[in-house]
Amino acid sequence: MYLYLNGEIIEEKQARISPFDHGFLYGMGLFETFRVYDGHPFLLDDHLVRLQDGLADLKIKKSLNRAQVLEIVKDLLLSNGLQQAYVRFNVSAGNGEVGLPSTDYENPSVIVFMKELPSIIVEKQAIFLQTRRNTPEGEYRLKSHHFLNNIYAKREVGKNPSVEGIFLSADGFLAEGITSNLFWVVGEELFTPTLETGILNGVTRNFVIQIAKSIGLRVQEGYFLPEEILKSDEAFITNSIQEIVPLAKIETLNLLGKEGPVTKRLQSVYTKYRTSLWSKNELAKEIQHGPKQIE
């Protein structure tokens, strides 16, 4: 594997970071994961907006734009002989004194690597986790290096990739999956937990909400108890690598899974635009100039 480290494309075995990097010492770092389809980094602009917002919040001075990131991605695709890829884009705080800082980080490290896409999982089953979702360290949840809560949850679920764990908040409300956002369908209404529960503001989550509204679904974000999802017809989870994954079962409740009509409609639109869009905000324009109705 070839990766990008602070301006250079190098072999994996050459990669080095300092033990005094605060991303290592204190978890002061952020990352984005996204997919490349036929050379196109899907929704890259949305990922960069979230990344830049997080960097500002952590006082890590680094400005990244589409052109810069696209050049890195293209170089890595060429070096690794890939056209479809899983990409992880990391920005770490960089070296600092031992001790908790109060000033800005002026020299962050950028590490980017990619790999072949994992096998597609057509549908999953889910359980409610005993591990509760921790509260964000700040005002909202960052996509940061702090992943211990997720690791505890994954250990609870086990190795089976076809089983997803559903976090509940400390107050007992539905939150999100271990590395995914959560949705369910009742009739022609789509439900998802509010960001106020402390969940990640997922890029794919926002795109799916945009799709749903474009095809006439009513979307409700709010505080929901576990029994409410157990009244659903369909449910699915989302993230940028797995896309939209139907749930065939939650606890003992059997669902429509991959045969769910609403889930299939959302998947159809998602697939149609994943080789062209840079941001969810482009969707309405694309639909307006495309077919009048999405089947």
Side-chain angles (χ1 to χ4, degrees):
M1 176 197 295
Y2 287 89
L3 55 82
Y4 173 95
L5 175 59
N6 294 332
E8 294 184 275
I9 304 293
I10 59 175
E11 291 187 50
E12 177 184 356
K13 62 184 179 182
Q14 296 176 302
R16 301 287 187 273
I17 62 168
S18 168
F20 300 108
D21 189 313
H22 279 207
F24 169 72
L25 284 179
Y26 304 116
M28 292 295 288
L30 301 169
F31 72 97
E32 293 289 328
T33 52
F34 54 88
R35 282 183 64 154
V36 173
Y37 300 88
D38 295 331
H40 176 72
F42 183 50
L43 300 181
L44 177 60
D45 289 356
D46 293 345
H47 284 283
L48 290 179
V49 167
R50 183 172 65 181
L51 179 60
Q52 290 292 169
D53 287 346
L55 292 173
D57 193 62
L58 294 183
K59 297 185 178 181
I60 297 174
K61 290 195 170 183
K62 186 66 180 180
S63 180
L64 295 158
N65 59 44
R66 183 202 292 183
Q68 292 169 322
V69 175
L70 190 56
E71 183 177 358
I72 293 170
V73 169
K74 286 182 175 180
D75 287 345
L76 284 176
L77 287 171
L78 182 62
S79 298
N80 288 290
L82 298 173
Q83 274 292 305
Q84 328 292 328
Y86 163 115
V87 180
R88 175 160 167 149
F89 197 105
N90 306 268
V91 182
S92 178
N95 295 356
E97 298 293 330
V98 176
L100 301 182
S102 59
T103 57
D104 293 357
Y105 290 102
E106 301 283 351
N107 297 296
S109 293
V110 178
I111 305 170
V112 188
F113 62 83
M114 62 175 53
K115 62 181 182 179
E116 292 184 355
L117 291 167
S119 300
I120 295 296
I121 297 177
V122 177
E123 59 184 10
K124 292 188 177 187
Q125 57 182 313
I127 61 170
F128 296 126
L129 293 162
Q130 296 301 309
T131 304
R132 291 300 176 104
R133 193 57 166 132
N134 64 341
T135 55
E137 290 85 1
E139 183 179 351
Y140 60 97
R141 187 173 298 280
L142 300 174
K143 196 169 179 67
S144 75
H145 292 178
H146 296 276
F147 251 61
L148 185 57
N149 188 225
N150 307 70
I151 291 171
Y152 282 148
K154 181 59 181 175
R155 288 174 177 172
E156 182 181 333
V157 169
K159 294 182 179 180
N160 189 343
S162 294
V163 179
E164 179 65 291
I166 297 175
F167 278 117
L168 304 182
S169 70
D171 297 327
F173 294 108
L174 291 166
E176 58 189 339
I178 297 175
T179 57
S180 62
N181 287 119
L182 177 66
F183 291 85
W184 63 97
V185 180
V186 179
E188 287 292 305
E189 291 187 277
L190 184 65
F191 296 83
T192 190
T194 174
L195 297 179
E196 300 302 316
T197 60
I199 63 175
L200 182 70
N201 188 11
V203 168
T204 304
R205 174 186 183 274
N206 289 327
F207 186 57
V208 167
I209 290 172
Q210 197 90 338
I211 294 174
K213 292 177 178 178
S214 76
I215 62 176
L217 292 176
R218 181 182 174 192
V219 180
Q220 292 201 42
E221 301 178 60
Y223 293 93
F224 304 104
L225 294 170
E227 51 264 33
E228 296 182 66
I229 198 172
L230 297 178
K231 300 174 184 176
S232 62
D233 306 311
E234 306 172 46
F236 57 88
I237 55 174
T238 64
N239 72 26
S240 295
I241 304 302
Q242 299 179 62
E243 303 176 344
I244 300 171
V245 183
L247 296 178
K249 189 175 184 179
I250 301 176
E251 295 288 343
T252 59
L253 173 69
N254 291 315
L255 296 164
L256 292 173
K258 63 183 179 181
E259 299 305 321
V262 173
T263 305
K264 289 169 73 173
R265 288 170 71 196
L266 293 169
Q267 288 175 319
S268 176
V269 180
Y270 190 103
T271 301
K272 179 177 181 179
Y273 295 106
R274 65 189 184 184
T275 59
S276 60
L277 295 189
W278 296 96
S279 169
K280 69 180 187 300
N281 298 327
E282 299 172 336
L283 181 64
K285 183 178 178 180
E286 290 288 328
I287 289 175
Q288 183 180 1
H289 291 87
K292 292 186 178 180
Q293 184 168 352
I294 297 166
E295 300 297 338

